[in-house]
Amino acid sequence: DSGVTQTPKHLITATGQRVTLRCSPRSGDLSVYWYQQSLDQGLQFLIQYYNGEERAKGNILERFSAQQFPDLHSELNLSSLELGDSALYFCASSVGLAGQGVQYFGPGTRLTVL
Amino acid sequence: AQTVTQSQPEMSVQEAETVTLSCTYDTSESDYYLFWYKQPPSRQMILVIRQEAYKQQNATENRFSVNFQKAAKSFSLKISDSQLGDAAMYFCAYRSAKDKIIFGKGTRLHILP
């Protein structure tokens, strides 16, 4: 158990809908990262937050947005969902900003768009 | 831009044998960190081992060790005494001191009983 929690575990929805994925980082970790992993693909970095502020953006679509709240939990919002958005979405957390911070991954949320 | 390449999409090894997974990367940075993550069928991402670029000594964690060749920008993972539980997808990852982490496309490792 990495200490990072993600809810829900599974999510099934229809095209055009909007969903929210939730992540709670490990105790003491200030950075939260979101990744997308499509079937048999590597991980694509989406976005990073540090202590409530956006720090880095990757290949995140405009239909997707995220935020980190004062209690450090984070939410990833996916809207106008398309079939191609079906994937495993991981949240990871680390203590700080710098590269030496090991990222610990949550169990992921499996999103299926029908 | 930094890139991470894993040239072996799949590998197989006999149980109890040793296997080496390859990873190369490209960067102009001097300060960075390298990681190997394991993703078993459960899909959980598990950190296997970490290497700081400024350290010349290769990192080891029990049966897992790396061969870090900074000049060649190579970071291979050696698994000794392979066990059935080692079967997984292995991802090599790079992170500079100030940048996001970049993952390779992975190597699927099969353990043959």
Side-chain angles (χ1 to χ4, degrees):
Chain A
D1 184 0
S2 67
V4 179
T5 60
Q6 289 187 249
T7 57
K9 273 189 173 178
H10 302 277
L11 199 48
I12 300 175
T13 188
T15 55
Q17 295 299 303
R18 173 189 170 93
V19 297
T20 297
L21 312 183
R22 183 188 169 104
C23 168
S24 292
R26 294 189 322 152
S27 177
D29 285 0
L30 298 179
S31 275
V32 169
Y33 310 78
W34 286 98
Y35 293 88
Q36 179 193 57
Q37 185 180 35
S38 301
L39 188 64
D40 290 333
Q41 295 290 313
L43 276 77
Q44 293 292 320
F45 168 72
L46 295 178
I47 198 163
Q48 177 199 357
Y49 279 84
Y50 176 77
N51 204 20
E53 294 192 4
E54 182 185 303
R55 296 297 299 194
K57 252 184 176 177
N59 303 319
I60 188 166
L61 300 172
E62 285 191 11
R63 300 183 286 110
F64 296 0
S65 65
Q67 56 184 326
Q68 186 180 27
F69 295 86
D71 67 353
L72 301 177
H73 91 271
S74 178
E75 292 181 356
L76 179 67
N77 300 296
L78 314 176
S79 61
S80 302
L81 285 167
E82 302 175 358
L83 295 177
D85 297 328
S86 294
L88 191 54
Y89 290 85
F90 284 105
C91 167
S93 74
S94 68
V95 171
L97 280 171
Q100 70 269 24
V102 173
Q103 293 189 12
Y104 294 92
F105 283 77
T109 292
R110 181 171 295 283
L111 173 66
T112 302
V113 182
L114 301 176
Chain B
Q2 296 91 352
T3 58
V4 176
T5 302
Q6 293 179 251
S7 59
Q8 305 148 317
E10 284 195 68
M11 292 190 72
S12 296
V13 62
Q14 209 74 36
E15 194 177 3
E17 296 295 309
T18 296
V19 63
T20 299
L21 309 184
S22 301
C23 173
T24 59
Y25 59 94
D26 189 24
T27 184
S28 57
E29 304 276 349
S30 59
D31 185 17
Y32 53 88
Y33 302 83
L34 298 163
F35 307 87
W36 279 98
Y37 281 89
K38 168 185 175 180
Q39 188 177 41
S42 67
R43 305 303 294 272
Q44 173 77 51
M45 292 290 289
I46 302 166
L47 177 69
V48 175
I49 202 164
R50 174 180 84 158
Q51 175 79 44
E52 293 91 340
Y54 63 85
K55 287 188 177 178
Q56 291 188 336
Q57 187 173 5
N58 289 326
T60 62
E61 285 288 341
N62 301 314
R63 298 183 295 107
F64 298 87
S65 62
V66 298
N67 183 5
F68 173 48
Q69 301 289 328
K70 191 171 183 179
K73 296 179 183 173
S74 170
F75 182 61
S76 60
L77 175 69
K78 185 171 83 170
I79 306 174
S80 304
D81 185 26
S82 297
Q83 300 175 0
L84 294 178
D86 295 333
M89 195 76 162
Y90 286 81
F91 292 98
C92 178
Y94 164 98
R95 185 177 185 187
S96 70
K98 56 183 187 314
D99 206 354
K100 61 185 180 291
I101 189 168
I102 300 169
F103 286 85
K105 292 193 181 300
T107 296
R108 187 174 299 281
L109 179 64
H110 303 278
I111 310 296
L112 307 174

